[in-house]
Amino acid sequence: MMKRKPSGFKIFLLVICLSVIYFGVNGGYTFSKANALKNSNMLHGGDSVYEITSGTNTIVIWHTVHKDQVVLVKKKWGLLYRVEDVSQMYPSVSEPKTLFRTWSAQMNGKKRYEAIIAAQTLDPKVKSIVVSNDSKDADIADHIEEIKNSSTFFIELPVTNGYAATYQVLDPGVSTGFVFRTLDQNGSIISTSR
C-alpha cells in the first residue's frame, strides 16, 4: 500500500500552529486564565474573589492576606492568556475602613487608554458604585443626573459580594481623576471619595 505524502497546506497549518504556540508561550502567554494568574510574578499566593469578562478581557480581583489587587487578563488568538496589568487597591481618604478602590490605564497601539477600574466596599448598604470624572473639589453634586451631566466619564457598577469592576477603552482627552461614589438600593449617595 502506498503512503500519501502530507499536502503543502497541512504542513503550512502545522508550521503556523507551532509558531503561534512557540511565540505565544515565549511572550508570557499560557493556555489557561488560571495558569496566567498562577505564573504572574506580580501575584504571590491568594485567590480570585471576583471576575468579570468584557470581550476577550477578564478582570480578576485577586485577594491575599495583606492586599487586594485588580488584574487584567487578556486572551489572544482564542487560546492564549496573559496578565497585562495589575493595580493594588487602596483605602479611600474619606472612607478608609469601608471603601477600597483603584484604577490603572495604559495606552494601546491605537492611541487610546485601556483602563481597569475597581472598588471594594465593606458597607452592606452599598448596592452600586458610580465612577465619574467630575470635579469632586467643586460644588459636590448630590444627584446622579448632575454628576452625569458634569462628567466626560460616568459609569454605574453593580456591587457583587462587595466588589465592582470594569474594563474600559478611553479617549486620551478623558480626564482620569476618578471620583468613586457608593449608592444604596434607592440610588442615594452614601459616600464620595477619590
Side-chain angles (χ1 to χ4, degrees), residues 28 30 32-45 62 69-73 81-86:
T30 66
S32 74
K33 181 174 49 183
N35 281 341
L37 290 164
K38 181 181 164 187
N39 295 342
S40 173
N41 59 7
M42 294 175 270
L43 305 173
H44 304 287
W62 193 258
Q69 293 176 294
V70 183
V71 184
L72 175 63
V73 180
Y81 298 82
R82 181 169 72 180
V83 170
E84 292 286 332
D85 194 3
V86 177

Side-chain angles (χ1 to χ4, degrees), residues 5-178:
K5 291 184 179 181
S7 71
F9 182 70
K10 288 181 182 177
I11 292 171
F12 174 74
L13 281 179
L14 179 63
V15 168
I16 293 295
C17 287
L18 291 174
S19 296
V20 165
I21 291 168
Y22 176 79
F23 290 112
V25 171
N26 284 331
Y29 287 92
T30 66
F31 289 106
S32 74
K33 181 174 49 183
N35 281 341
L37 290 164
K38 181 181 164 187
N39 295 342
S40 173
N41 59 7
M42 294 175 270
L43 305 173
H44 304 287
D47 294 297
S48 169
V49 292
Y50 176 91
E51 284 189 26
I52 188 166
T53 299
S54 173
T56 59
N57 305 299
T58 301
I59 293 184
V60 176
I61 297 182
W62 193 258
H63 175 74
T64 67
V65 175
H66 304 290
K67 60 189 170 187
D68 283 350
Q69 293 176 294
V70 183
V71 184
L72 175 63
V73 180
K74 287 196 165 226
K75 186 176 182 183
K76 194 166 189 173
W77 302 317
L79 72 154
L80 297 174
Y81 298 82
R82 181 169 72 180
V83 170
E84 292 286 332
D85 194 3
V86 177
S87 184
Q88 184 173 337
M89 294 240 244
Y90 291 98
S92 76
V93 175
S94 60
E95 301 288 328
K97 294 185 178 182
T98 59
L99 182 65
F100 303 83
R101 77 285 176 273
T102 191
W103 64 269
S104 176
Q106 296 182 8
M107 188 168 277
N108 64 20
K110 297 177 181 174
K111 304 291 185 200
R112 298 183 80 201
Y113 286 105
E114 295 187 32
I116 53 175
I117 304 166
Q120 177 193 19
T121 179
L122 302 179
D123 183 346
K125 294 188 300 281
V126 175
K127 301 304 177 190
S128 65
I129 296 174
V130 165
V131 182
S132 60
N133 65 354
D134 61 296
S135 175
K136 178 186 178 284
D137 301 325
D139 294 330
I140 297 174
D142 56 359
H143 297 291
I144 294 300
E145 284 306 312
E146 289 177 49
I147 296 164
K148 189 183 265 188
N149 291 335
S150 62
S151 303
T152 56
F153 177 83
F154 178 96
I155 190 166
E156 185 171 350
L157 305 171
V159 171
T160 305
N161 298 324
Y163 294 96
T166 185
Y167 165 84
Q168 298 286 317
V169 178
L170 306 174
D171 290 324
V174 173
S175 164
T176 51
F178 294 128

